[in-house]
């Protein structure tokens, strides 16, 4: 059975790159009917952010990436928070020492700092690698602080096969004797995740390609214990577009790069998941870019993952999101829109009609207040806005005539629905010798104060109601003198 895991560190909001890793891990497991595990890697105590674990769990819930084992869910391999597994790591580290694949290091902080000053690469000189068993025992009995380091082979090559990038090899002479257990007793990420992956039965390790050159250290640990290596799936880098057209690794300077930031900006979770699924993966034999999570699960295969870096394009995401918004039912749209509408709207406003007008004219929910502002209050505008060569309105006198006639008609119109209003104003065009579009243009500018609006003149009037319509046209006539 395929078993994958998502093992984030609780250091803040979830970055888009982390979410993509979680998504691909989920899809690889579920495509084969396997198991998806959540594990919290919190051994780097200095970087922990309070509440970050809750954010991780909330993000997975919102995106539908339900884990089969993990915190709050349980399972056969708990606990699922690394800090709660601390004794396990020391036990396995000591086994490595006994087998000759690791050793106690008693070097002081001062010695290591001096070593770093002398060698800017920060490499450890293996000072404690060959201490005699007697010296090690004396130091331990004396309570001298220590770390446990992995004893790397000094020559030869370590290789492994990655499912995306193929065979990766590294000369062992380039590998540092990395720390496995820190002086505070906590394991490093480099050690803990290997132990946990083995004990939790993880078959496929999915992570970013920045770990490609670190993995030889991990496979040496598997080999030392005599364990079967997992399948490695390293994902291509995520890049962002720079103002000059170049690309660089995706970061905050490119815009909102956390899932929470995107939600706050009015993006739909389904649109985000759909879009990031395509950042490094290409579906086979598909003529669409739109996938539900179930459809992604059915279609996803590892051989569709690309080696090439993927560029996070905010314009493409915005387009995706707009398409998802447009497909919402009116009821769904109204519910979601309500969470983003901060401006106070008049009670007389036809809210349902207004939302139906802007539904297909926004790409993210944070645009709602800006798009609906003119419904709440007529903005100040220049009367030159009335002039329109296409509709042959070249003089403001024509506008005055149209609005005066329209005002008389509207005062005597009882029903203020779109169809009735259009039918009532239609005869004005023939009476005044103008095109219908010219009459509607003048009225629309008068009631909206904007050149481009969601909806036409009669639709806007249906939203704002009879009293507000008459008031706005009267004010526009006063503005025209």
């Amino acid at each position: 059975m395929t078993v994958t895991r998502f093992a984030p560190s609780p250091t803040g909001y979830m970055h888009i790159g982390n979410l993509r890793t979680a998504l691909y891990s989920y899809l690889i497991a579920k495509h084969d009917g396997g198991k998806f595990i959540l594990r919290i890697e919190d051994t780097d105590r200095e970087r922990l952010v309070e509440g970050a674990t809750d954010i991780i769990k909330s993000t997975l819930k919102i995106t539908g990436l339900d884990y089969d084992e993990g915190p709050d869910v349980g399972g056969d391999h708990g606990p699922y928070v690394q800090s709660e597994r601390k004794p396990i790591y020391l036990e396995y580290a000591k086994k490595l020492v006994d087998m000759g694949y690791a050793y106690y290091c008693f070097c002081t902080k001062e010695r290591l700092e001096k070593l770093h000053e002398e060698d800017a690469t920060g490499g450890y000189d293996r000072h404690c690698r060959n201490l005699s068993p007697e010296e090690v025992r004396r130091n331990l009995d004396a309570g001298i602080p220590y770390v446990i380091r992995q004893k790397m082979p000094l020559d030869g090559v370590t290789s492994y096969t990655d499912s995306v990038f193929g065979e990766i090899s590294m000369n062992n002479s380039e590998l540092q004797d990395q720390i496995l257990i820190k002086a505070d007793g906590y394991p490093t990420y480099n050690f803990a995740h290997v132990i946990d992956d083995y004990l939790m039965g993880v078959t496929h390790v999915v992570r970013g390609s920045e770990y490609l050159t670190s993995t030889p250290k991990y496979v040496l640990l598997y080999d030392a214990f005599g364990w079967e290596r997992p399948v490695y799936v390293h994902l291509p880098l995520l890049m962002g577009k720079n103002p000059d057209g170049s690309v660089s690794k995706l970061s905050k300077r490119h815009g909102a790069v956390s899932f929470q930031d995107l939600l706050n900006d009015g993006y739909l979770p389904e649109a985000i998941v759909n879009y990031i699924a395509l950042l490094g993966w290409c579906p086979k034999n598909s003529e669409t870019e739109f996938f539900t999570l179930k459809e992604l699960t059915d279609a996803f295969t590892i051989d569709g993952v690309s080696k090439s870096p993927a560029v996070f394009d905010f314009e493409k995401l915005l387009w995706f999101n707009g398409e998802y918004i447009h497909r919402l039912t009116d009821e769904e749209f109204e519910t979601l829109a309500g969470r983003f509408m901060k401006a106070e709207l008049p009670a007389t406003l036809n809210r349902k009609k207004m939302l139906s007008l802007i539904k297909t004219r926004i790409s993210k929910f944070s645009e709602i207040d800006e798009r609906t502002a003119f419904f709440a209050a007529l903005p100040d505008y220049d009367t030159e806005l009335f002039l329109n060569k296409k509709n042959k309105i070249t003089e403001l006198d024509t506008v005055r005539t149209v609005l005066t006639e329209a005002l008389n008609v509207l005062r005597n119109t009882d029903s203020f629905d779109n169809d009735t209003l259009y039918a009532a104003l239609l005869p004005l065009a023939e009476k005044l010798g103008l095109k219908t579009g010219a009459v509607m243009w003048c009225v629309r500018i008068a009631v909206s104060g904007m050149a481009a609006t969601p909806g036409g003149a009669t639709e806007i009037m249906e939203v704002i109601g009879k009293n507000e319509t008459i008031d706005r046209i009267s004010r526009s006539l006063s503005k025209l003198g």
Side-chain angles (χ1 to χ4, degrees):
M1 180 174 66
T2 299
V3 179
T4 64
R5 48 71 167 174
F6 177 51
S9 297
T11 56
Y13 287 123
M14 192 182 296
H15 187 277
I16 287 299
N18 288 339
L19 181 56
R20 185 188 64 167
T21 300
L23 174 62
Y24 282 22
S25 298
Y26 174 90
L27 295 176
I28 288 170
K30 295 305 175 181
H31 179 79
D32 292 334
K35 186 183 294 184
F36 176 58
I37 298 172
L38 172 64
R39 185 175 72 228
I40 303 299
E41 300 194 342
D42 64 342
T43 56
D44 189 346
R45 309 304 289 176
E46 294 180 0
R47 295 179 62 229
L48 298 186
V49 173
E50 186 176 354
T53 297
D54 291 333
I55 291 172
I56 291 167
K57 292 187 286 188
S58 172
T59 299
L60 295 180
K61 182 177 181 180
I62 291 170
T63 53
L65 305 183
D66 299 325
Y67 42 95
D68 302 287
E69 296 184 24
D72 305 332
V73 172
D76 298 330
H77 305 98
Y80 295 91
V81 178
Q82 281 189 338
S83 59
E84 299 173 12
R85 300 169 62 83
K86 186 176 175 182
I88 297 173
Y89 308 119
L90 185 58
E91 174 191 345
Y92 278 91
K94 288 181 176 179
K95 284 183 180 179
L96 285 176
V97 172
D98 293 340
M99 292 187 293
Y101 293 109
Y103 60 94
Y104 292 97
C105 174
F106 301 95
C107 291
T108 63
K109 182 179 179 181
E110 291 73 24
R111 182 182 186 279
L112 294 174
E113 288 176 349
K114 183 178 180 181
L115 182 65
H116 181 67
E117 290 173 5
E118 296 172 354
D119 180 4
T121 61
Y124 177 59
D125 63 357
R126 299 185 167 103
H127 177 74
C128 296
R129 180 174 171 125
N130 297 311
L131 293 179
S132 67
E134 294 76 22
E135 190 171 359
V136 170
R137 174 49 51 194
R138 283 198 300 273
N139 289 343
L140 292 175
D141 291 343
I144 297 175
Y146 67 86
V147 299
I148 296 179
R149 292 183 181 271
Q150 185 176 357
K151 185 181 286 188
M152 297 296 183
L154 300 179
D155 51 29
V157 175
T158 297
S159 301
Y160 71 97
T161 300
D162 181 73
S163 298
V164 178
F165 289 86
E167 184 169 309
I168 305 295
S169 299
M170 182 169 285
N171 292 326
N172 291 331
S173 59
E174 299 178 41
L175 302 177
Q176 300 288 337
D177 285 5
Q178 65 176 348
I179 294 175
L180 305 180
I181 301 293
K182 295 178 287 187
D184 60 6
Y186 280 100
T188 60
Y189 163 81
N190 294 321
F191 185 56
H193 83 273
V194 170
I195 303 302
D196 288 340
D197 286 345
Y198 170 73
L199 293 178
M200 293 182 180
V202 172
T203 61
H204 291 65
V205 173
V206 184
R207 56 181 169 225
S209 59
E210 62 268 27
Y211 289 101
L212 273 171
T213 56
S214 300
T215 301
K217 298 183 295 187
Y218 311 145
V219 300
L220 283 171
L221 289 171
Y222 275 94
D223 295 349
F225 283 114
W227 299 338
E228 182 179 352
R229 298 178 181 182
V231 175
Y232 287 102
V233 186
H234 286 91
L235 309 180
L237 285 174
L238 277 185
M239 312 296 281
K241 287 185 177 180
N242 299 320
D244 63 0
S246 63
V247 296
S248 57
K249 189 173 181 181
L250 186 66
S251 65
K252 288 183 178 179
R253 68 176 177 274
H254 295 114
V257 293
S258 81
F259 177 73
Q260 193 61 46
D261 285 341
L262 292 174
L263 287 186
N264 294 341
D265 201 20
Y267 288 89
L268 293 171
E270 299 85 355
I272 299 171
V273 168
N274 191 159
Y275 178 63
I276 66 171
L278 303 176
L279 292 176
W281 170 76
C282 183
K284 296 178 180 178
N285 305 318
S286 177
E287 297 180 359
T288 180
E289 293 182 284
F290 294 92
F291 295 88
T292 63
L293 186 58
K294 174 64 169 63
E295 290 166 343
L296 284 172
T297 301
D298 293 338
F300 194 90
T301 54
I302 295 174
D303 59 4
V305 179
S306 171
K307 297 179 185 178
S308 302
V311 178
F312 190 95
D313 186 339
F314 282 94
E315 290 300 317
K316 185 66 180 288
L317 174 59
L318 192 64
W319 175 79
F320 252 102
N321 200 61
E323 292 297 310
Y324 268 84
I325 287 176
H326 305 162
R327 296 177 184 193
L328 294 171
T329 66
D330 289 345
E331 291 74 18
E332 290 170 336
F333 180 78
E334 187 172 353
T335 299
L336 291 168
R339 300 174 189 172
F340 286 86
M341 294 176 69
K342 302 180 181 66
E344 287 291 330
L345 297 174
T348 55
L349 210 66
N350 186 333
R351 182 187 175 97
K352 188 176 290 291
K353 175 68 177 180
M354 178 191 71
L355 291 176
S356 70
L357 289 180
I358 67 169
K359 176 183 168 185
T360 58
R361 293 171 172 87
I362 65 169
S363 296
K364 55 182 179 178
F365 281 99
S366 58
E367 298 171 348
I368 281 186
D369 275 349
E370 181 183 349
R371 296 296 177 90
T372 59
F374 81 93
F375 287 113
L378 181 68
D380 190 24
Y381 65 94
D382 193 310
T383 55
E384 292 294 311
L385 196 59
F386 282 108
L387 303 180
N388 185 289
K389 290 182 180 179
K390 181 181 178 181
N391 286 309
K392 297 181 179 179
I393 303 174
T394 57
E395 296 180 0
L396 293 179
D397 283 342
T398 304
V399 180
R400 290 190 193 93
T401 302
V402 171
L403 294 185
T404 300
E405 292 288 339
L407 200 55
N408 291 332
V409 170
L410 295 170
R411 281 178 173 147
N412 293 299
T413 302
D414 294 326
S415 180
F416 244 63
D417 64 274
N418 178 59
D419 293 340
T420 301
L421 289 168
Y422 189 83
L425 291 175
L426 196 58
L428 276 186
E430 185 176 353
K431 178 180 178 180
L432 300 175
L434 297 171
K435 291 182 179 179
T436 303
V439 171
M440 296 303 179
W441 172 271
C442 293
V443 174
R444 186 173 65 81
I445 298 298
V447 297
S448 71
M450 297 176 64
T453 56
T458 53
E459 291 175 309
I460 293 169
M461 289 190 287
E462 181 179 352
V463 172
I464 63 177
K466 182 173 182 176
N467 291 340
E468 182 67 14
T469 295
I470 290 172
D471 179 64
R472 290 189 181 192
I473 293 178
S474 299
R475 287 158 59 192
S476 294
L477 281 169
S478 297
K479 184 187 282 284
L480 288 164

